[in-house]
Amino acid sequence: MRAQSVRSTDGRRPCRRRPVVTLLLLAVGLLATGVLPLVARADHVRPVQNDDPAAVVEAYAAAVNAGDLAAILALYANDAVHIALPTADGSAGVCLGKEQFRLWYEQSVANQDRLAVVEDTLTVTGDRVTFVARLASDPWRKLGIETLEADVEAVVADGRFTSHVVMLAPGSVRALLTALGTIPGAPAGAEPVSEPQHRR
């Protein structure tokens, strides 16, 4: 499915998801630095009543795995910051507010994305939560990759994310590049490398 360029009512281009191949071209450059992350109007859906960031993460994972777009977006403040790296077009990868990251989650639901929090990685410090996510998506399955990992950091207030940063782990980017035959130094058609077990 080709991402459409859509402009919001204020003339700004909202954040969007791009095809895997395009995303990975930028990832090649990011590998050198070692740095590497779902809409209907959902205001009627109630946020998590428990302000515990861990409860918000649990509700988010359940909404993603159910493909429930309204429930996913209800877990974000209207002016939330959403950051997903690497980006496909070299932009900062920062979306401000639900209207800007609407297409991201529409595509996520269409791709039947699934998310699991890796055991013993979730840490809560005040309103901040960090964890490692194990992600699955149809485009990756078609490449023969069952799951990839990402480091996630979020801030929660009043039962909703106010910021959400997702960074695909370098080992996962290498696995994708290898599956596509585009990893530097790897022959085309090379077997995908296995994602290493989570770092403890």
Side-chain angles (χ1 to χ4, degrees):
M1 173 175 165
R2 187 173 181 177
Q4 299 295 316
S5 179
V6 179
R7 292 197 177 273
S8 61
T9 54
D10 62 3
R12 291 179 297 176
R13 184 189 303 173
C15 295
R16 59 188 177 176
R17 235 171 145 165
R18 308 255 173 105
V20 173
V21 173
T22 308
L23 178 92
L24 292 175
L25 292 176
L26 178 66
V28 173
L30 292 174
L31 278 172
T33 65
V35 177
L36 284 182
L38 279 173
V39 205
R41 256 305 196 204
D43 295 333
H44 66 283
V45 181
R46 299 172 65 90
V48 174
Q49 296 305 304
N50 183 346
D51 200 32
D52 174 18
V56 176
V57 169
E58 181 180 351
Y60 173 73
V64 169
N65 293 335
D68 188 337
L69 194 57
I72 292 166
L73 291 176
L75 292 167
Y76 286 92
N78 287 330
D79 59 351
V81 177
H82 185 278
I83 302 174
L85 297 174
T87 61
D89 60 1
S91 66
V94 177
C95 298
L96 304 175
K98 292 187 206 180
E99 291 304 312
Q100 287 196 2
F101 55 81
R102 175 188 307 259
L103 291 177
W104 174 272
Y105 282 116
E106 287 177 341
Q107 190 63 54
S108 179
V109 170
N111 287 342
Q112 299 187 52
D113 287 359
R114 298 295 179 261
L115 179 154
V117 176
V118 175
E119 190 175 358
D120 298 327
T121 66
L122 192 144
T123 302
V124 175
T125 306
D127 60 358
R128 178 176 170 269
V129 60
T130 61
F131 61 95
V132 175
R134 189 162 288 134
L135 309 169
S137 187
D138 278 350
W140 300 340
R141 293 181 193 101
K142 290 173 183 175
L143 292 173
I145 298 173
E146 289 302 315
T147 62
L148 296 174
E149 286 189 358
D151 295 310
V152 181
E153 178 176 335
V155 175
V156 172
D158 299 324
R160 289 179 165 154
F161 292 123
T162 59
S163 72
H164 187 196
V165 180
V166 183
M167 301 179 75
L168 198 62
S172 289
V173 173
R174 289 187 185 96
L176 276 170
L177 292 173
T178 302
L180 290 168
T182 57
I183 194 166
E191 288 296 317
V193 295
S194 298
E195 175 68 15
Q197 292 298 319
H198 171 68
R199 313 162 302 281
R200 293 191 183 272

